[in-house]
Amino acid sequence: MTNRNMSSKSGLYLRLEIVWWVFTGLVAALLLYPLYTKLGAYPFYRINTIYIITAITLTRYIFLLPSTFLGRWQVGKVACVFISIPFIFYLIEGIHTFNEFLDYGNLEALVGKLPGEEQEGMMNYIKNEMYLFGVASVISAIVFPFRMILSVWRLRNKGHV
């Protein structure tokens, strides 16, 4: 491959990465908007945002790895394998903390300021959204290092991602 082709591919990968990050940011903003406007004080903004970003980004890297900047970056993929291990525990701890929050009935107190007809819907939205993206992020974070290992092996032995 010529140097010009490599730089044009790098530019394309960078543009695709930017588009995906903008898309991920928009999805996160749209999903968190009802919580921000209706609740204000919500103790899980940070972990919820991390769940959304992780679920979308790692799923994208699992399925679309050849069209990402990480596709041919061997050192980056190996680093991601080792970073994934504590990150998985962090994600699981967030789900555990949210479950404890629900067990002590704090969710009802959180939506207590809303009108009665909106409380049940908001509680269902919060639980479903947190569990959907929490579990999706944990699953993708577990699969991700195996995909990176497979990609390292393929690039080293077969020449493709």
Side-chain angles (χ1 to χ4, degrees), residues 21 46-59 61 79-95 133-134 136-145:
W21 278 102
R46 182 173 42 146
I47 192 68
N48 205 345
T49 304
I50 290 169
Y51 285 156
I52 294 167
I53 291 170
T54 301
I56 293 172
T57 303
L58 293 187
T59 302
Y61 285 152
C80 286
V81 169
F82 291 106
I83 291 170
S84 293
I85 296 166
F87 188 60
I88 291 167
F89 287 109
Y90 173 75
L91 295 173
I92 292 171
E93 178 63 29
I95 293 174
F133 285 99
S137 67
V138 170
I139 291 170
S140 63
I142 290 171
V143 172
F144 180 68

Side-chain angles (χ1 to χ4, degrees), residues 35 39-45 47-48 51 92-112 122-127 130-131:
L35 303 176
L39 301 180
Y42 177 61
F44 297 100
Y45 280 126
I47 192 68
N48 205 345
Y51 285 156
I92 292 171
E93 178 63 29
I95 293 174
H96 175 71
T97 304
F98 183 71
N99 279 335
E100 283 182 344
F101 184 80
L102 293 179
D103 288 345
Y104 290 112
N106 293 330
L107 191 58
E108 289 84 7
L110 193 63
V111 298
M122 183 55 75
M123 286 190 301
N124 285 334
Y125 179 79
I126 291 169
K127 286 189 277 189
M130 273 292 281
Y131 284 135

